[in-house]
Each structure stands twice: as structure tokens, then as C-alpha cells.
Amino acid sequence: AIHPGSDELTFMIRNIPNRYSAKMLLEFFNNKGFEWTYDFFYLPVDFRNNCNVGYAFVNFPLRTDAERFREVFEGRHLQAFQSRKILRFDPARVQGFEANRAHFRNSHVTSADVNEDWKPILFDCARRVRVPFPRPDWELDAAAGAAAGAAGWAGGRG
């Protein structure tokens, strides 16, 4: 459970089967009643192997949605691909919509050369739309980003 008075509403979800895509996970969450309850989602990908690295980040603006999400999914396993991995939740190091947007704004994972399906996603829950990341503060070096991705770096612990 989320500790009373805690502002930790951004979770790191661990033990995600590597063959899941962001689209598959979001469809799964949305089909369980969580569409438009989260405003940030990121499933880091190993660019060399084209698969996720086993964890994701999700932020909820409302404590009630965050608590319900955790109650529904923590300790369960995802059915696709016959995985036996059990989902675990931890507070993410970076907390909140604004902090995550700022954290990833200048990251190679939001650069133009990265596949759209591998980028962090921002949502406006009130308007029920996906919103673009703001442009980076400086020009991102695509070669450095590709090298980091090939090495398996996926944005840190979020």
C-alpha cells in the first residue's frame, strides 16, 4: 500500500516480461479500467535486442487511482507469453508528472531518431489526449543516444 501522506505516486513496475510492448501493457491496463488515470508512462527498451528491459514507470495524478492500480496489479502475473514473472511495485526515484517530463526531456529516448513506440508517453487525463514531449533544451546527439541504447541503457531507474 501507499503510505499515508506519501507523495510517491510514480511507480516502478518490475518483472514485466521482456516481450511486452508499451502498447500491449497500456491496452492491458486500460482494459482493466485505468484509461486516463495515469499521465506518464515509460517502458524502457534495449535498442539492440528490441525488447523491454523488464520494468516500467507510471505516474498517477490522483492517490486513489494509484492505490487502486497497485492493488489490482501488484503480485499478479501478466498472461501473455506464458510468463511466470510476478509484478512488483516500488516508488520510482523520479516522482510526479513534471519531474518525469523534465527528467526525460533531454534524454536520447525522446529524440527524433528513436522509434515512437519506445519513447516515454505523456497524457492529459482531463482532455483525454496524448501530449507531445517538449522539445529538448539542446540538440540531442543521435550517435551518443544510439550507443547508449545499444549498451542497454534505458534512462536509469527513472
Side-chain angles (χ1 to χ4, degrees):
I2 299 171
H3 300 291
S6 172
D7 290 330
E8 294 178 336
L9 302 179
T10 306
F11 298 123
M12 178 184 209
I13 307 169
R14 296 181 183 273
N15 298 330
I16 296 170
N18 298 93
R19 292 173 55 195
Y20 268 84
S21 68
K23 181 179 178 183
M24 289 175 67
L25 272 177
L26 292 176
E27 285 177 2
F28 181 73
F29 298 153
N30 293 346
N31 289 336
K32 298 289 186 187
F34 289 94
E35 190 170 19
W36 306 117
T37 63
Y38 48 87
D39 56 10
F40 172 81
F41 178 82
Y42 179 44
L43 178 68
V45 170
D46 178 333
F47 296 166
R48 184 178 19 178
N49 296 316
N50 297 326
C51 63
N52 81 64
V53 296
Y55 57 87
F57 302 97
V58 62
N59 182 71
F60 293 87
L62 300 177
R63 172 176 302 286
T64 54
D65 292 328
E67 289 173 344
R68 187 169 61 92
F69 186 85
R70 189 170 188 167
E71 287 172 12
V72 168
F73 296 112
E74 187 166 38
R76 308 208 184 224
H77 66 90
L78 300 171
Q79 300 293 324
F81 310 116
Q82 301 177 355
S83 174
R84 295 178 190 218
K85 292 182 176 182
I86 303 298
L87 297 181
R88 299 286 177 229
F89 284 59
D90 290 311
R93 183 178 52 81
V94 178
Q95 286 289 319
F97 176 85
E98 292 298 334
N100 275 289
R101 184 170 69 168
H103 180 76
F104 287 102
R105 178 179 189 169
N106 294 310
S107 169
H108 76 277
V109 299
T110 59
S111 65
D113 62 315
V114 173
N115 182 324
E116 285 298 316
D117 295 336
W118 298 347
K119 294 181 179 185
I121 305 170
L122 301 175
F123 300 95
D124 181 329
C125 298
R127 293 181 24 229
R128 295 183 174 228
V129 296
R130 182 174 172 169
V131 295
F133 256 84
R135 295 196 46 78
D137 293 327
W138 58 81
E139 193 63 33
L140 299 173
D141 182 349
W153 185 85
R157 190 166 172 230

